[in-house]
Amino acid sequence: MIWLFAGSLILPNVIFGAFSDKFNTQNNENRELAAFPEVSLSSLGEFPEAFEEFYKDHLPFKNALVSLNNYMDTSLFRNTKIGDVVIGKDNWLFYLPSKDGENAMADYQKTNLYTEEKSREIAAGIAKVQDWLYGYGVETFHYYVAPNKETVYTQYMPDKPEIIGEGDSRMESFARYMAENSDVEFEYLYDYLDGYSEQYQLFRKYDTHMNNLGGYITSEKITRDLTGESLPIEKIVIEKGEKPCRGDLSRMIGRYEELDDDREYGLSDFHDGLHYKVKKEESEGGEETLKVFSSNSSNERTILVIGDSFRLRLEKFLPYRYQNAVFVRIDDFTPELLEEYKPDDVVVITVERDQRYMENLGEYICEK
């Protein structure tokens, strides 16, 4: 029994270490995994706890075990929530974390409405950023909030969790407050996108983000607001792709390969004669942080788009509309970008669930 116990502890590590390249070792979690802790006399007291965190994140056969466990949860026990991922009807996946600063569950259940005082504080912070940008020569500033996926496609959510609150959600209430009390061009995109959601699939089924259709419709909305021109999606050719369109949510529940029935959409016959190219690109740890485009558009203005990951879907379409377009991750924005590219129009876009950016916009923009 002693040898069996010792073998159960040692052999998995030996086998996995020798054949790790044969197993799935991808990071399937929406966070950075713990690194091997520093070994030194000064950190000796913290080493056991740090090593435990490292070992849990890099456990031998972890992905296979998680995948098996999740399969049993979903197929045998019919669970509809694994971690922060909610499994909806027709296998639609939704990301509903419940944590400070990014509480999508509270958004969905309508339990986190702002007080009027909090709304006033946030509105003042956004207006401060607008005035600061105008001081750099920016002529137009718009703030857009992209709706959570479950806000648009509520019909695919399971019966539980239930919606608790009545009336408007946090973002609907705040958008109304901004319309009535602020001169900032602020828009919550739910109503606009909802008008297209029945005819078109705007979000990826197994990912938190929009697909190309959602990106195009949002880009043309922004273009119309800023330039007065747009090309409706009804006037372009849409083709459904053949390859599986997988996503971050299917990876998080260990079903990345199995959930393969979603497809991305290809768009064509739009912006004839126009083309763009990437002038500059920067990334960090595989994540895109800055991208600069130039095009042969007749619009000589420069646009700067500051945002979270929802900005990435706009990169395929907005550069057609400006001779110069700059996209930067909000965490990496610096005032030097304003001095270098001298944008005429500035757009900030963040997703509904991640309220940190909207509530503390000054810290990410003008207080750096």
PDB file of all heavy atoms in Angstrom, residues 92 94 146-153 193 197 200-215 245 262-265 310 351 353:
ATOM      1  N   TRP A  92     -24.822  27.321 -26.552  1.00  0.00           N
ATOM      2  CA  TRP A  92     -24.260  28.673 -26.537  1.00  0.00           C
ATOM      3  C   TRP A  92     -23.547  28.877 -25.200  1.00  0.00           C
ATOM      4  O   TRP A  92     -24.074  28.505 -24.137  1.00  0.00           O
ATOM      5  CB  TRP A  92     -25.363  29.715 -26.700  1.00  0.00           C
ATOM      6  CG  TRP A  92     -25.693  30.013 -28.132  1.00  0.00           C
ATOM      7  CD1 TRP A  92     -26.243  29.168 -29.042  1.00  0.00           C
ATOM      8  CD2 TRP A  92     -25.480  31.256 -28.812  1.00  0.00           C
ATOM      9  NE1 TRP A  92     -26.391  29.792 -30.252  1.00  0.00           N
ATOM     10  CE2 TRP A  92     -25.939  31.067 -30.143  1.00  0.00           C
ATOM     11  CE3 TRP A  92     -24.967  32.483 -28.437  1.00  0.00           C
ATOM     12  CZ2 TRP A  92     -25.879  32.088 -31.099  1.00  0.00           C
ATOM     13  CZ3 TRP A  92     -24.912  33.508 -29.385  1.00  0.00           C
ATOM     14  CH2 TRP A  92     -25.353  33.299 -30.696  1.00  0.00           C
ATOM     15  N   PHE A  94     -21.581  31.495 -22.447  1.00  0.00           N
ATOM     16  CA  PHE A  94     -21.573  32.885 -21.988  1.00  0.00           C
ATOM     17  C   PHE A  94     -20.588  33.024 -20.839  1.00  0.00           C
ATOM     18  O   PHE A  94     -20.451  32.121 -20.010  1.00  0.00           O
ATOM     19  CB  PHE A  94     -22.967  33.306 -21.526  1.00  0.00           C
ATOM     20  CG  PHE A  94     -24.026  33.193 -22.585  1.00  0.00           C
ATOM     21  CD1 PHE A  94     -24.755  32.021 -22.736  1.00  0.00           C
ATOM     22  CD2 PHE A  94     -24.284  34.242 -23.448  1.00  0.00           C
ATOM     23  CE1 PHE A  94     -25.728  31.903 -23.715  1.00  0.00           C
ATOM     24  CE2 PHE A  94     -25.255  34.133 -24.434  1.00  0.00           C
ATOM     25  CZ  PHE A  94     -25.976  32.962 -24.566  1.00  0.00           C
ATOM     26  N   ALA A 146     -20.042  48.339 -25.570  1.00  0.00           N
ATOM     27  CA  ALA A 146     -20.562  47.156 -26.261  1.00  0.00           C
ATOM     28  C   ALA A 146     -21.325  46.296 -25.257  1.00  0.00           C
ATOM     29  O   ALA A 146     -20.851  46.070 -24.142  1.00  0.00           O
ATOM     30  CB  ALA A 146     -19.416  46.358 -26.874  1.00  0.00           C
ATOM     31  N   PRO A 147     -22.486  45.801 -25.613  1.00  0.00           N
ATOM     32  CA  PRO A 147     -23.268  44.980 -24.676  1.00  0.00           C
ATOM     33  C   PRO A 147     -22.631  43.620 -24.443  1.00  0.00           C
ATOM     34  O   PRO A 147     -21.922  43.086 -25.301  1.00  0.00           O
ATOM     35  CB  PRO A 147     -24.622  44.842 -25.376  1.00  0.00           C
ATOM     36  CG  PRO A 147     -24.298  44.961 -26.829  1.00  0.00           C
ATOM     37  CD  PRO A 147     -23.160  45.953 -26.913  1.00  0.00           C
ATOM     38  N   ASN A 148     -22.878  43.061 -23.278  1.00  0.00           N
ATOM     39  CA  ASN A 148     -22.487  41.684 -23.028  1.00  0.00           C
ATOM     40  C   ASN A 148     -23.237  40.765 -23.986  1.00  0.00           C
ATOM     41  O   ASN A 148     -24.365  41.057 -24.405  1.00  0.00           O
ATOM     42  CB  ASN A 148     -22.813  41.276 -21.590  1.00  0.00           C
ATOM     43  CG  ASN A 148     -22.024  42.065 -20.568  1.00  0.00           C
ATOM     44  OD1 ASN A 148     -20.949  42.558 -20.848  1.00  0.00           O
ATOM     45  ND2 ASN A 148     -22.581  42.177 -19.371  1.00  0.00           N
ATOM     46  N   LYS A 149     -22.639  39.661 -24.306  1.00  0.00           N
ATOM     47  CA  LYS A 149     -23.251  38.692 -25.227  1.00  0.00           C
ATOM     48  C   LYS A 149     -24.616  38.217 -24.727  1.00  0.00           C
ATOM     49  O   LYS A 149     -25.578  38.120 -25.501  1.00  0.00           O
ATOM     50  CB  LYS A 149     -22.284  37.520 -25.381  1.00  0.00           C
ATOM     51  CG  LYS A 149     -22.737  36.396 -26.278  1.00  0.00           C
ATOM     52  CD  LYS A 149     -21.623  35.350 -26.317  1.00  0.00           C
ATOM     53  CE  LYS A 149     -22.010  34.083 -27.017  1.00  0.00           C
ATOM     54  NZ  LYS A 149     -20.906  33.089 -26.997  1.00  0.00           N
ATOM     55  N   GLU A 150     -24.723  37.951 -23.423  1.00  0.00           N
ATOM     56  CA  GLU A 150     -25.982  37.454 -22.868  1.00  0.00           C
ATOM     57  C   GLU A 150     -27.063  38.527 -22.840  1.00  0.00           C
ATOM     58  O   GLU A 150     -28.260  38.216 -22.733  1.00  0.00           O
ATOM     59  CB  GLU A 150     -25.779  36.879 -21.468  1.00  0.00           C
ATOM     60  CG  GLU A 150     -25.243  37.854 -20.450  1.00  0.00           C
ATOM     61  CD  GLU A 150     -23.725  37.991 -20.478  1.00  0.00           C
ATOM     62  OE1 GLU A 150     -23.088  37.410 -21.391  1.00  0.00           O
ATOM     63  OE2 GLU A 150     -23.188  38.689 -19.611  1.00  0.00           O
ATOM     64  N   THR A 151     -26.661  39.796 -22.934  1.00  0.00           N
ATOM     65  CA  THR A 151     -27.644  40.872 -23.007  1.00  0.00           C
ATOM     66  C   THR A 151     -28.356  40.853 -24.350  1.00  0.00           C
ATOM     67  O   THR A 151     -29.575  41.076 -24.427  1.00  0.00           O
ATOM     68  CB  THR A 151     -26.957  42.239 -22.807  1.00  0.00           C
ATOM     69  OG1 THR A 151     -26.253  42.243 -21.559  1.00  0.00           O
ATOM     70  CG2 THR A 151     -27.967  43.366 -22.796  1.00  0.00           C
ATOM     71  N   VAL A 152     -27.612  40.567 -25.407  1.00  0.00           N
ATOM     72  CA  VAL A 152     -28.184  40.545 -26.754  1.00  0.00           C
ATOM     73  C   VAL A 152     -28.901  39.231 -27.034  1.00  0.00           C
ATOM     74  O   VAL A 152     -29.977  39.199 -27.635  1.00  0.00           O
ATOM     75  CB  VAL A 152     -27.073  40.785 -27.806  1.00  0.00           C
ATOM     76  CG1 VAL A 152     -27.650  40.731 -29.216  1.00  0.00           C
ATOM     77  CG2 VAL A 152     -26.378  42.131 -27.578  1.00  0.00           C
ATOM     78  N   TYR A 153     -28.299  38.122 -26.579  1.00  0.00           N
ATOM     79  CA  TYR A 153     -28.855  36.804 -26.886  1.00  0.00           C
ATOM     80  C   TYR A 153     -29.370  36.118 -25.622  1.00  0.00           C
ATOM     81  O   TYR A 153     -29.048  34.964 -25.323  1.00  0.00           O
ATOM     82  CB  TYR A 153     -27.809  35.943 -27.599  1.00  0.00           C
ATOM     83  CG  TYR A 153     -27.572  36.427 -29.008  1.00  0.00           C
ATOM     84  CD1 TYR A 153     -26.425  37.147 -29.329  1.00  0.00           C
ATOM     85  CD2 TYR A 153     -28.510  36.192 -30.004  1.00  0.00           C
ATOM     86  CE1 TYR A 153     -26.217  37.618 -30.628  1.00  0.00           C
ATOM     87  CE2 TYR A 153     -28.311  36.647 -31.292  1.00  0.00           C
ATOM     88  CZ  TYR A 153     -27.166  37.359 -31.606  1.00  0.00           C
ATOM     89  OH  TYR A 153     -26.971  37.823 -32.886  1.00  0.00           O
ATOM     90  N   LEU A 193     -27.571  47.152 -31.716  1.00  0.00           N
ATOM     91  CA  LEU A 193     -27.237  45.803 -32.137  1.00  0.00           C
ATOM     92  C   LEU A 193     -28.432  44.861 -32.030  1.00  0.00           C
ATOM     93  O   LEU A 193     -28.577  43.927 -32.828  1.00  0.00           O
ATOM     94  CB  LEU A 193     -26.073  45.267 -31.311  1.00  0.00           C
ATOM     95  CG  LEU A 193     -24.723  45.958 -31.546  1.00  0.00           C
ATOM     96  CD1 LEU A 193     -23.669  45.410 -30.593  1.00  0.00           C
ATOM     97  CD2 LEU A 193     -24.267  45.796 -32.989  1.00  0.00           C
ATOM     98  N   SER A 197     -30.004  41.557 -34.307  1.00  0.00           N
ATOM     99  CA  SER A 197     -29.642  40.277 -33.702  1.00  0.00           C
ATOM    100  C   SER A 197     -30.517  39.116 -34.146  1.00  0.00           C
ATOM    101  O   SER A 197     -30.095  37.957 -34.085  1.00  0.00           O
ATOM    102  CB  SER A 197     -29.671  40.396 -32.173  1.00  0.00           C
ATOM    103  OG  SER A 197     -30.987  40.687 -31.715  1.00  0.00           O
ATOM    104  N   TYR A 200     -29.226  38.469 -37.960  1.00  0.00           N
ATOM    105  CA  TYR A 200     -27.820  38.101 -38.072  1.00  0.00           C
ATOM    106  C   TYR A 200     -27.300  37.587 -36.729  1.00  0.00           C
ATOM    107  O   TYR A 200     -27.721  38.057 -35.667  1.00  0.00           O
ATOM    108  CB  TYR A 200     -26.971  39.321 -38.475  1.00  0.00           C
ATOM    109  CG  TYR A 200     -27.393  39.969 -39.767  1.00  0.00           C
ATOM    110  CD1 TYR A 200     -28.132  41.147 -39.759  1.00  0.00           C
ATOM    111  CD2 TYR A 200     -27.045  39.422 -41.000  1.00  0.00           C
ATOM    112  CE1 TYR A 200     -28.517  41.766 -40.937  1.00  0.00           C
ATOM    113  CE2 TYR A 200     -27.418  40.029 -42.187  1.00  0.00           C
ATOM    114  CZ  TYR A 200     -28.161  41.200 -42.155  1.00  0.00           C
ATOM    115  OH  TYR A 200     -28.542  41.801 -43.329  1.00  0.00           O
ATOM    116  N   GLN A 201     -26.378  36.641 -36.796  1.00  0.00           N
ATOM    117  CA  GLN A 201     -25.656  36.216 -35.596  1.00  0.00           C
ATOM    118  C   GLN A 201     -24.481  37.163 -35.415  1.00  0.00           C
ATOM    119  O   GLN A 201     -23.563  37.187 -36.218  1.00  0.00           O
ATOM    120  CB  GLN A 201     -25.156  34.783 -35.738  1.00  0.00           C
ATOM    121  CG  GLN A 201     -24.379  34.298 -34.507  1.00  0.00           C
ATOM    122  CD  GLN A 201     -23.770  32.929 -34.702  1.00  0.00           C
ATOM    123  OE1 GLN A 201     -24.308  32.106 -35.429  1.00  0.00           O
ATOM    124  NE2 GLN A 201     -22.631  32.687 -34.065  1.00  0.00           N
ATOM    125  N   LEU A 202     -24.484  37.947 -34.342  1.00  0.00           N
ATOM    126  CA  LEU A 202     -23.504  39.010 -34.158  1.00  0.00           C
ATOM    127  C   LEU A 202     -22.348  38.619 -33.245  1.00  0.00           C
ATOM    128  O   LEU A 202     -21.325  39.304 -33.227  1.00  0.00           O
ATOM    129  CB  LEU A 202     -24.191  40.264 -33.589  1.00  0.00           C
ATOM    130  CG  LEU A 202     -25.394  40.775 -34.383  1.00  0.00           C
ATOM    131  CD1 LEU A 202     -25.963  42.018 -33.718  1.00  0.00           C
ATOM    132  CD2 LEU A 202     -25.020  41.063 -35.828  1.00  0.00           C
ATOM    133  N   PHE A 203     -22.519  37.554 -32.455  1.00  0.00           N
ATOM    134  CA  PHE A 203     -21.478  37.101 -31.535  1.00  0.00           C
ATOM    135  C   PHE A 203     -21.083  35.673 -31.892  1.00  0.00           C
ATOM    136  O   PHE A 203     -21.891  34.894 -32.406  1.00  0.00           O
ATOM    137  CB  PHE A 203     -21.968  37.132 -30.084  1.00  0.00           C
ATOM    138  CG  PHE A 203     -21.934  38.497 -29.447  1.00  0.00           C
ATOM    139  CD1 PHE A 203     -22.892  39.448 -29.762  1.00  0.00           C
ATOM    140  CD2 PHE A 203     -20.951  38.826 -28.522  1.00  0.00           C
ATOM    141  CE1 PHE A 203     -22.876  40.697 -29.174  1.00  0.00           C
ATOM    142  CE2 PHE A 203     -20.923  40.074 -27.929  1.00  0.00           C
ATOM    143  CZ  PHE A 203     -21.880  41.015 -28.257  1.00  0.00           C
ATOM    144  N   ARG A 204     -19.846  35.335 -31.587  1.00  0.00           N
ATOM    145  CA  ARG A 204     -19.407  33.958 -31.745  1.00  0.00           C
ATOM    146  C   ARG A 204     -20.064  33.100 -30.669  1.00  0.00           C
ATOM    147  O   ARG A 204     -20.141  33.490 -29.513  1.00  0.00           O
ATOM    148  CB  ARG A 204     -17.882  33.876 -31.643  1.00  0.00           C
ATOM    149  CG  ARG A 204     -17.176  34.558 -32.794  1.00  0.00           C
ATOM    150  CD  ARG A 204     -15.677  34.468 -32.672  1.00  0.00           C
ATOM    151  NE  ARG A 204     -15.014  34.948 -33.874  1.00  0.00           N
ATOM    152  CZ  ARG A 204     -13.695  34.962 -34.033  1.00  0.00           C
ATOM    153  NH1 ARG A 204     -12.905  34.535 -33.056  1.00  0.00           N
ATOM    154  NH2 ARG A 204     -13.173  35.401 -35.162  1.00  0.00           N
ATOM    155  N   LYS A 205     -20.479  31.940 -31.073  1.00  0.00           N
ATOM    156  CA  LYS A 205     -21.235  31.062 -30.185  1.00  0.00           C
ATOM    157  C   LYS A 205     -20.411  30.597 -28.991  1.00  0.00           C
ATOM    158  O   LYS A 205     -20.936  30.458 -27.879  1.00  0.00           O
ATOM    159  CB  LYS A 205     -21.723  29.861 -30.995  1.00  0.00           C
ATOM    160  CG  LYS A 205     -22.709  28.960 -30.303  1.00  0.00           C
ATOM    161  CD  LYS A 205     -23.216  27.889 -31.259  1.00  0.00           C
ATOM    162  CE  LYS A 205     -24.132  26.908 -30.571  1.00  0.00           C
ATOM    163  NZ  LYS A 205     -24.618  25.861 -31.498  1.00  0.00           N
ATOM    164  N   TYR A 206     -19.114  30.362 -29.195  1.00  0.00           N
ATOM    165  CA  TYR A 206     -18.270  29.797 -28.146  1.00  0.00           C
ATOM    166  C   TYR A 206     -17.187  30.770 -27.681  1.00  0.00           C
ATOM    167  O   TYR A 206     -16.168  30.359 -27.140  1.00  0.00           O
ATOM    168  CB  TYR A 206     -17.629  28.495 -28.641  1.00  0.00           C
ATOM    169  CG  TYR A 206     -18.647  27.490 -29.111  1.00  0.00           C
ATOM    170  CD1 TYR A 206     -18.593  26.947 -30.389  1.00  0.00           C
ATOM    171  CD2 TYR A 206     -19.692  27.098 -28.280  1.00  0.00           C
ATOM    172  CE1 TYR A 206     -19.550  26.032 -30.815  1.00  0.00           C
ATOM    173  CE2 TYR A 206     -20.653  26.187 -28.696  1.00  0.00           C
ATOM    174  CZ  TYR A 206     -20.579  25.657 -29.960  1.00  0.00           C
ATOM    175  OH  TYR A 206     -21.533  24.758 -30.380  1.00  0.00           O
ATOM    176  N   ASP A 207     -17.426  32.053 -27.885  1.00  0.00           N
ATOM    177  CA  ASP A 207     -16.448  33.075 -27.533  1.00  0.00           C
ATOM    178  C   ASP A 207     -17.180  34.246 -26.891  1.00  0.00           C
ATOM    179  O   ASP A 207     -18.396  34.387 -27.043  1.00  0.00           O
ATOM    180  CB  ASP A 207     -15.701  33.535 -28.801  1.00  0.00           C
ATOM    181  CG  ASP A 207     -14.408  34.269 -28.487  1.00  0.00           C
ATOM    182  OD1 ASP A 207     -14.460  35.466 -28.184  1.00  0.00           O
ATOM    183  OD2 ASP A 207     -13.347  33.620 -28.537  1.00  0.00           O
ATOM    184  N   THR A 208     -16.445  35.079 -26.182  1.00  0.00           N
ATOM    185  CA  THR A 208     -17.072  36.239 -25.538  1.00  0.00           C
ATOM    186  C   THR A 208     -17.298  37.387 -26.504  1.00  0.00           C
ATOM    187  O   THR A 208     -18.034  38.322 -26.191  1.00  0.00           O
ATOM    188  CB  THR A 208     -16.178  36.750 -24.389  1.00  0.00           C
ATOM    189  OG1 THR A 208     -14.883  37.037 -24.904  1.00  0.00           O
ATOM    190  CG2 THR A 208     -16.080  35.743 -23.281  1.00  0.00           C
ATOM    191  N   HIS A 209     -16.668  37.346 -27.685  1.00  0.00           N
ATOM    192  CA  HIS A 209     -16.617  38.516 -28.564  1.00  0.00           C
ATOM    193  C   HIS A 209     -17.574  38.431 -29.751  1.00  0.00           C
ATOM    194  O   HIS A 209     -18.102  37.374 -30.079  1.00  0.00           O
ATOM    195  CB  HIS A 209     -15.186  38.713 -29.067  1.00  0.00           C
ATOM    196  CG  HIS A 209     -14.204  38.925 -27.976  1.00  0.00           C
ATOM    197  ND1 HIS A 209     -13.502  37.885 -27.399  1.00  0.00           N
ATOM    198  CD2 HIS A 209     -13.797  40.049 -27.325  1.00  0.00           C
ATOM    199  CE1 HIS A 209     -12.710  38.367 -26.446  1.00  0.00           C
ATOM    200  NE2 HIS A 209     -12.881  39.671 -26.392  1.00  0.00           N
ATOM    201  N   MET A 210     -17.732  39.584 -30.405  1.00  0.00           N
ATOM    202  CA  MET A 210     -18.496  39.646 -31.641  1.00  0.00           C
ATOM    203  C   MET A 210     -17.773  38.883 -32.743  1.00  0.00           C
ATOM    204  O   MET A 210     -16.561  38.686 -32.700  1.00  0.00           O
ATOM    205  CB  MET A 210     -18.658  41.100 -32.092  1.00  0.00           C
ATOM    206  CG  MET A 210     -19.451  41.989 -31.176  1.00  0.00           C
ATOM    207  SD  MET A 210     -19.489  43.673 -31.838  1.00  0.00           S
ATOM    208  CE  MET A 210     -20.266  44.553 -30.479  1.00  0.00           C
ATOM    209  N   ASN A 211     -18.539  38.474 -33.746  1.00  0.00           N
ATOM    210  CA  ASN A 211     -17.937  37.932 -34.954  1.00  0.00           C
ATOM    211  C   ASN A 211     -17.797  39.055 -35.987  1.00  0.00           C
ATOM    212  O   ASN A 211     -17.969  40.238 -35.653  1.00  0.00           O
ATOM    213  CB  ASN A 211     -18.777  36.767 -35.503  1.00  0.00           C
ATOM    214  CG  ASN A 211     -20.222  37.173 -35.788  1.00  0.00           C
ATOM    215  OD1 ASN A 211     -20.536  38.359 -35.956  1.00  0.00           O
ATOM    216  ND2 ASN A 211     -21.108  36.201 -35.856  1.00  0.00           N
ATOM    217  N   ASN A 212     -17.488  38.714 -37.234  1.00  0.00           N
ATOM    218  CA  ASN A 212     -17.296  39.738 -38.257  1.00  0.00           C
ATOM    219  C   ASN A 212     -18.559  40.547 -38.534  1.00  0.00           C
ATOM    220  O   ASN A 212     -18.481  41.740 -38.846  1.00  0.00           O
ATOM    221  CB  ASN A 212     -16.811  39.098 -39.560  1.00  0.00           C
ATOM    222  CG  ASN A 212     -15.348  38.709 -39.507  1.00  0.00           C
ATOM    223  OD1 ASN A 212     -14.589  39.216 -38.688  1.00  0.00           O
ATOM    224  ND2 ASN A 212     -14.940  37.808 -40.376  1.00  0.00           N
ATOM    225  N   LEU A 213     -19.730  39.914 -38.432  1.00  0.00           N
ATOM    226  CA  LEU A 213     -20.972  40.641 -38.672  1.00  0.00           C
ATOM    227  C   LEU A 213     -21.186  41.711 -37.599  1.00  0.00           C
ATOM    228  O   LEU A 213     -21.520  42.860 -37.902  1.00  0.00           O
ATOM    229  CB  LEU A 213     -22.162  39.676 -38.691  1.00  0.00           C
ATOM    230  CG  LEU A 213     -22.162  38.607 -39.789  1.00  0.00           C
ATOM    231  CD1 LEU A 213     -23.424  37.771 -39.702  1.00  0.00           C
ATOM    232  CD2 LEU A 213     -22.025  39.238 -41.156  1.00  0.00           C
ATOM    233  N   GLY A 214     -20.983  41.333 -36.339  1.00  0.00           N
ATOM    234  CA  GLY A 214     -21.105  42.310 -35.262  1.00  0.00           C
ATOM    235  C   GLY A 214     -20.080  43.408 -35.385  1.00  0.00           C
ATOM    236  O   GLY A 214     -20.363  44.588 -35.137  1.00  0.00           O
ATOM    237  N   GLY A 215     -18.852  43.033 -35.792  1.00  0.00           N
ATOM    238  CA  GLY A 215     -17.801  44.028 -35.961  1.00  0.00           C
ATOM    239  C   GLY A 215     -18.107  44.999 -37.074  1.00  0.00           C
ATOM    240  O   GLY A 215     -17.885  46.214 -36.930  1.00  0.00           O
ATOM    241  N   CYS A 245     -15.421  27.695 -36.080  1.00  0.00           N
ATOM    242  CA  CYS A 245     -15.067  28.931 -35.379  1.00  0.00           C
ATOM    243  C   CYS A 245     -15.134  28.637 -33.882  1.00  0.00           C
ATOM    244  O   CYS A 245     -16.205  28.660 -33.284  1.00  0.00           O
ATOM    245  CB  CYS A 245     -16.032  30.053 -35.766  1.00  0.00           C
ATOM    246  SG  CYS A 245     -15.700  31.614 -34.949  1.00  0.00           S
ATOM    247  N   ASP A 262     -19.930  26.126 -34.895  1.00  0.00           N
ATOM    248  CA  ASP A 262     -20.061  27.550 -35.208  1.00  0.00           C
ATOM    249  C   ASP A 262     -19.151  27.899 -36.384  1.00  0.00           C
ATOM    250  O   ASP A 262     -18.138  27.239 -36.626  1.00  0.00           O
ATOM    251  CB  ASP A 262     -19.700  28.404 -33.989  1.00  0.00           C
ATOM    252  CG  ASP A 262     -20.141  29.856 -34.158  1.00  0.00           C
ATOM    253  OD1 ASP A 262     -21.054  30.114 -34.970  1.00  0.00           O
ATOM    254  OD2 ASP A 262     -19.563  30.732 -33.483  1.00  0.00           O
ATOM    255  N   ARG A 263     -19.507  28.952 -37.133  1.00  0.00           N
ATOM    256  CA  ARG A 263     -18.730  29.381 -38.278  1.00  0.00           C
ATOM    257  C   ARG A 263     -18.563  30.894 -38.259  1.00  0.00           C
ATOM    258  O   ARG A 263     -19.449  31.621 -37.812  1.00  0.00           O
ATOM    259  CB  ARG A 263     -19.412  28.968 -39.591  1.00  0.00           C
ATOM    260  CG  ARG A 263     -19.578  27.459 -39.769  1.00  0.00           C
ATOM    261  CD  ARG A 263     -18.238  26.767 -39.954  1.00  0.00           C
ATOM    262  NE  ARG A 263     -18.372  25.345 -40.220  1.00  0.00           N
ATOM    263  CZ  ARG A 263     -18.367  24.406 -39.283  1.00  0.00           C
ATOM    264  NH1 ARG A 263     -18.269  24.755 -37.994  1.00  0.00           N
ATOM    265  NH2 ARG A 263     -18.470  23.135 -39.579  1.00  0.00           N
ATOM    266  N   GLU A 264     -17.421  31.363 -38.763  1.00  0.00           N
ATOM    267  CA  GLU A 264     -17.215  32.799 -38.938  1.00  0.00           C
ATOM    268  C   GLU A 264     -17.796  33.208 -40.288  1.00  0.00           C
ATOM    269  O   GLU A 264     -17.974  32.367 -41.184  1.00  0.00           O
ATOM    270  CB  GLU A 264     -15.718  33.145 -38.854  1.00  0.00           C
ATOM    271  CG  GLU A 264     -15.384  34.631 -38.961  1.00  0.00           C
ATOM    272  CD  GLU A 264     -16.089  35.490 -37.923  1.00  0.00           C
ATOM    273  OE1 GLU A 264     -17.276  35.829 -38.169  1.00  0.00           O
ATOM    274  OE2 GLU A 264     -15.466  35.841 -36.913  1.00  0.00           O
ATOM    275  N   TYR A 265     -18.088  34.488 -40.443  1.00  0.00           N
ATOM    276  CA  TYR A 265     -18.679  34.993 -41.670  1.00  0.00           C
ATOM    277  C   TYR A 265     -17.672  35.832 -42.447  1.00  0.00           C
ATOM    278  O   TYR A 265     -16.946  36.651 -41.870  1.00  0.00           O
ATOM    279  CB  TYR A 265     -19.921  35.839 -41.348  1.00  0.00           C
ATOM    280  CG  TYR A 265     -21.062  35.025 -40.790  1.00  0.00           C
ATOM    281  CD1 TYR A 265     -21.125  34.727 -39.428  1.00  0.00           C
ATOM    282  CD2 TYR A 265     -22.057  34.534 -41.620  1.00  0.00           C
ATOM    283  CE1 TYR A 265     -22.167  33.967 -38.917  1.00  0.00           C
ATOM    284  CE2 TYR A 265     -23.107  33.774 -41.113  1.00  0.00           C
ATOM    285  CZ  TYR A 265     -23.156  33.495 -39.759  1.00  0.00           C
ATOM    286  OH  TYR A 265     -24.180  32.740 -39.254  1.00  0.00           O
ATOM    287  N   PHE A 310     -12.734  44.315 -27.312  1.00  0.00           N
ATOM    288  CA  PHE A 310     -13.811  44.509 -28.278  1.00  0.00           C
ATOM    289  C   PHE A 310     -13.406  45.446 -29.416  1.00  0.00           C
ATOM    290  O   PHE A 310     -14.071  45.492 -30.444  1.00  0.00           O
ATOM    291  CB  PHE A 310     -15.070  45.023 -27.577  1.00  0.00           C
ATOM    292  CG  PHE A 310     -15.953  43.918 -27.085  1.00  0.00           C
ATOM    293  CD1 PHE A 310     -15.522  43.061 -26.084  1.00  0.00           C
ATOM    294  CD2 PHE A 310     -17.200  43.696 -27.636  1.00  0.00           C
ATOM    295  CE1 PHE A 310     -16.315  42.020 -25.631  1.00  0.00           C
ATOM    296  CE2 PHE A 310     -18.009  42.658 -27.193  1.00  0.00           C
ATOM    297  CZ  PHE A 310     -17.564  41.813 -26.189  1.00  0.00           C
ATOM    298  N   VAL A 351     -16.455  46.943 -23.045  1.00  0.00           N
ATOM    299  CA  VAL A 351     -17.603  46.056 -22.928  1.00  0.00           C
ATOM    300  C   VAL A 351     -18.374  46.341 -21.641  1.00  0.00           C
ATOM    301  O   VAL A 351     -17.805  46.785 -20.641  1.00  0.00           O
ATOM    302  CB  VAL A 351     -17.148  44.583 -22.994  1.00  0.00           C
ATOM    303  CG1 VAL A 351     -16.356  44.201 -21.740  1.00  0.00           C
ATOM    304  CG2 VAL A 351     -18.336  43.648 -23.181  1.00  0.00           C
ATOM    305  N   ARG A 353     -19.627  44.500 -19.243  1.00  0.00           N
ATOM    306  CA  ARG A 353     -19.339  43.834 -17.970  1.00  0.00           C
ATOM    307  C   ARG A 353     -18.122  44.411 -17.259  1.00  0.00           C
ATOM    308  O   ARG A 353     -18.014  44.330 -16.042  1.00  0.00           O
ATOM    309  CB  ARG A 353     -19.139  42.338 -18.200  1.00  0.00           C
ATOM    310  CG  ARG A 353     -17.874  41.987 -18.970  1.00  0.00           C
ATOM    311  CD  ARG A 353     -17.616  40.489 -19.011  1.00  0.00           C
ATOM    312  NE  ARG A 353     -16.429  40.197 -19.796  1.00  0.00           N
ATOM    313  CZ  ARG A 353     -16.434  39.954 -21.090  1.00  0.00           C
ATOM    314  NH1 ARG A 353     -17.583  39.972 -21.747  1.00  0.00           N
ATOM    315  NH2 ARG A 353     -15.313  39.715 -21.739  1.00  0.00           N
TER     316      ARG A 353
END
